[in-house]
Amino acid sequence: MKIVKIILASMAAALLLAGCGVVDRSASYVTGGNQLIIQMDQLEYIGESEISVSYDKNFGITRILKINGADYDPAVKKYGDIGNQPSIFRAGTLLKKLDRAAYKVYEDFPQAEYFIVVRQQSVTRKLFLGRSVEAKAVVRAYKFK
C-alpha cells in the first residue's frame, strides 16, 4: 500500500512539474487559398536577420541543442511562422525545426509586415545510430509603403 502511495505521489508531482513553462507563438497572417501579388516598389526594406538551430536526432528522438546561438531551454518555447503557406512545392518555407528560431525575426523587426526567406543552409553530420543537424536561414523583413 505504501508503494502505491509513493507511485501516485510521484506521478502527481511529475504532472505538476510538466505543466511549468512558457510558450510564445508569433505568426504573420497567411491564408490557405489566396494569392497576393506585390510589386517590390510597394514594399520598404527594413532589414534582414539570420536564424539558426542545431539539434541531434538519435533513435528517432530529436534533442534541440541551440537556438540562434543560445543554449536551448525546454521550459521556454518560442515559435515563429514565416512562409508556411500550404503548397505542393513548399516554396519560401523554412526547413524543419527553423520555425523554433524564427521568433527572432519578429523580435528584431516588430514593425515588419512581410517576410521573405532568402537563403537556407543545412549541414548534417552522420553519427553512429544518429545524426547532428545545424540549419541556418536568412530572412528579409519588409513593410508596406
Side-chain angles (χ1 to χ4, degrees), residues 54-108:
S54 60
Y55 60 94
D56 289 338
K57 191 165 188 174
N58 296 315
F59 300 111
I61 298 171
T62 303
R63 183 175 59 112
I64 298 174
L65 303 172
K66 292 183 180 262
I67 294 179
N68 293 325
D71 290 335
Y72 173 66
D73 182 9
V76 179
K77 295 182 181 179
K78 294 184 178 182
Y79 294 87
D81 296 327
I82 296 175
N84 288 334
Q85 66 272 21
S87 171
I88 296 171
F89 303 108
R90 305 296 289 171
T93 61
L94 291 172
L95 295 170
K96 256 187 176 179
K97 302 288 181 208
L98 274 174
D99 60 337
R100 297 296 300 269
Y103 72 89
K104 181 180 180 235
V105 179
Y106 288 96
E107 289 178 353
D108 290 348

Side-chain angles (χ1 to χ4, degrees), residues 52-57 95-96 98 120-127 131-137:
S52 65
V53 65
S54 60
Y55 60 94
D56 289 338
K57 191 165 188 174
L95 295 170
K96 256 187 176 179
L98 274 174
Q120 297 187 64
Q121 176 184 359
S122 177
V123 177
T124 303
R125 291 177 190 86
K126 293 186 179 182
L127 307 171
R131 63 181 171 208
S132 174
V133 180
E134 194 172 317
K136 294 180 183 179

